[in-house]
Structure formats: structure tokens, C-alpha cells
Amino acid sequence: MHQTLVTNLDSGIYTITINRPEKLNALDKMVIEELGAAVDEVILNKEIKSAIITGSGEKAFVAGADISEFSSLNAQGGRDLAHKGQQLVFSKIENCSKPIIAAVNGFALGGGCELAMSCHFRLASENAKFGQPEVNLGLIPGYGGTQRLVQLIGKGRALELLLTGNMIDANTALQLGLVNYVVPQSELLTKTRSIAGLINTKAPLAIAACIKAVNAVFDEKHDGYEVEINNFGELFDTADAREGAAAFLEKRKPNFTGT
Ligand code: COA
């Protein structure tokens, strides 16, 4: 049981709803701890094939880190906050071998935009707004925003958003490639679940290998082409790759087991 999250597992899809609507789902220490635990659950629970992160209420996905916790911080405290959050939540989401999709249902500002960007991809409702307004507070993003925003929309556009602190609407986010779809708010979870459900019909080890190889593009410690070659090769030793080819040749649907 969580105090700041509502979680639900249905048909292999684990939905994590950040539930502090009165504070626009701002990320305080408790939310970060509980999000970390929820992502651990995604990683460890064999019943979970994919996950969705969304926000409670109609107004906000997440309106940022909880600013009320900032006043007591000094340089070391700020480093610790960013480091702990990145380790506990943001890097763990990005490197999770099961897909984690952001369903952005309103404001995704600061840490909220960073949370959405750490997910494998994003859908937005028509009322969603994105931004990195940290410069308005004399700060910069601390949960990976300076890195992932460049990866997703390019350096010039990322710097404009970071330096102005401006918000963009959902359709602009779509044009920039920050989100994959914009849908009416009432359809956001249905559309996100339908994509997660489709992914859940694929071979889980192949899904994990796709995520690993794509993440390698942005990882200086690995040559992405080598990661692709190795994963491509290793998958030939799996039962699911044999099943996939056999099912195609026998003109039937594959029955993947994740082995
Ligand atoms: N941290 C803590 N509390 C926050 C918050 C945040 N990041 N964002 C919103 N809240 C709180 C507000 O303080 C307010 O609480 P209160 O009712 O106890 O006063 C409540 O959520 C509702 O927010 P409010 O500002 O009244 O809503 P609004 O519709 O007028 O404005 C925003 C919405 C998103 C534009 C505005 O809340 C905002 O700018 N939030 C901060 C965004 C930000 O800078 N994020 C980056 C942080 S690093």
C-alpha cells in the first residue's frame, strides 16, 4: 500500500497514478520513495508486462518537484536530492526491461516533464502542458531534464525551453517529438492501455532487448551497434524466437512465454 500513489494491475498492465491532486501531484520525498518502490514492483513482478505512469485529477500529471522542500537545501542537499531521485526513479524507469509509458494528463513541469521523459514514450491529453521552469526558481533540472530533453527534441529546442522556462502545449510537444500522440483527456488511458496491450502480445525478451539497444544510443560506455548485434544473436537461443518463426511458417499466432 502506498500513501501517495494508487496502483492497479489489470491484464499485465500496471498503472501507477501519482495521487496528490491538491498539490498538482508534485514530487515530494515520499512520492519519490514510493515511485521507486513501484518501479521495483514492475521489475520484479512476473505478472506485470508493462506499466503506465499518470497523474491523479484532470489538471496535472506532475507540476514538478515539491518546491516547499527546497528552502532547507544547501549544495550538498541539492546534489543528494537529484542523485537519489535519479537513482531511485528516473534511471530505473529508463533502464527497466519492461515498457513504461507516460500518460500525461495535464501539467508536466520540471520534475514532471523529466518523469515523462524518463518513460519509454509518452502520450498526452489535449490539455497537457510541458516545460522546464527551473530557471524561474534560480535552478536547473536535476532529474535528467537537461540530458533527456536534448535527446528527445534536439539541442536548440531544448535550450530554448530550458533558458526561457516557457511552457508548451500538447500539440507543440507533438510537433517537437516530445509526445507520440495527443488525445482527448477522456481517451488518454484507453489509448495508452491499448498500446501497452499490443506490446504485451510480443516476445518479452525481444521487448527488453529493444529497450536496451535503443538506450545504448545515449550511453557512451557502450557501442549501440555492438549491443544490437549481441542481443540479436542471443535472442536466437530463446524459445520465443523459435516459436515466433514456427508460428509464422505455420500461419498461426505465436504463443510467447518469455523464455
Ligand atoms: N511544488 C509544491 N507545490 C506545488 C507545486 C510544486 N511544484 N506546483 C503546484 N503546487 C501547489 C500550489 O502551491 C497550490 O497549493 P496550495 O493550494 O496549498 O496553495 C496547489 O498546488 C495548486 O497550485 P496553483 O499554483 O494554485 O495552481 P494554478 O492553476 O494557479 O497554477 C501551475 C498551476 C502549474 C502553473 C503552478 O502551480 C506552478 O507554476 N507550479 C510550479 C511549477 C514549477 O515551477 N515546477 C518546477 C519545480 S522545480
Side-chain angles (χ1 to χ4, degrees), residues 69-82:
E69 291 181 344
F70 284 3
S71 46
S72 59
L73 293 178
N74 59 14
Q76 191 53 47
R79 271 194 289 270
D80 290 347
L81 181 81

Side-chain angles (χ1 to χ4, degrees), residues 20-24 26 59 63-68 70 107 109-111 133-134 136-137 139 167:
R20 293 183 79 207
E22 71 292 349
K23 294 290 174 190
L24 305 188
K59 196 169 167 183
D66 192 315
I67 299 170
S68 68
F70 284 3
F107 288 113
L109 302 175
E134 287 85 352
N136 297 331
L137 303 168
L139 294 169
M167 278 188 226

Side-chain angles (χ1 to χ4, degrees), residues 13-14 16 50-54 61 93 98-104 115-116 119-123 180 189 191-197 199-200:
I13 303 169
Y14 191 58
I16 302 166
S50 57
I52 296 170
I53 299 181
T54 193
F61 173 69
I93 291 172
K98 301 173 188 176
I100 302 183
I101 308 169
V104 180
L115 180 63
C119 292
H120 295 120
F121 56 90
R122 292 142 289 284
L123 285 77
N180 294 12
L189 279 180
K191 173 80 179 166
T192 313
R193 284 199 184 107
S194 109
I195 297 175
I199 296 170
N200 289 357

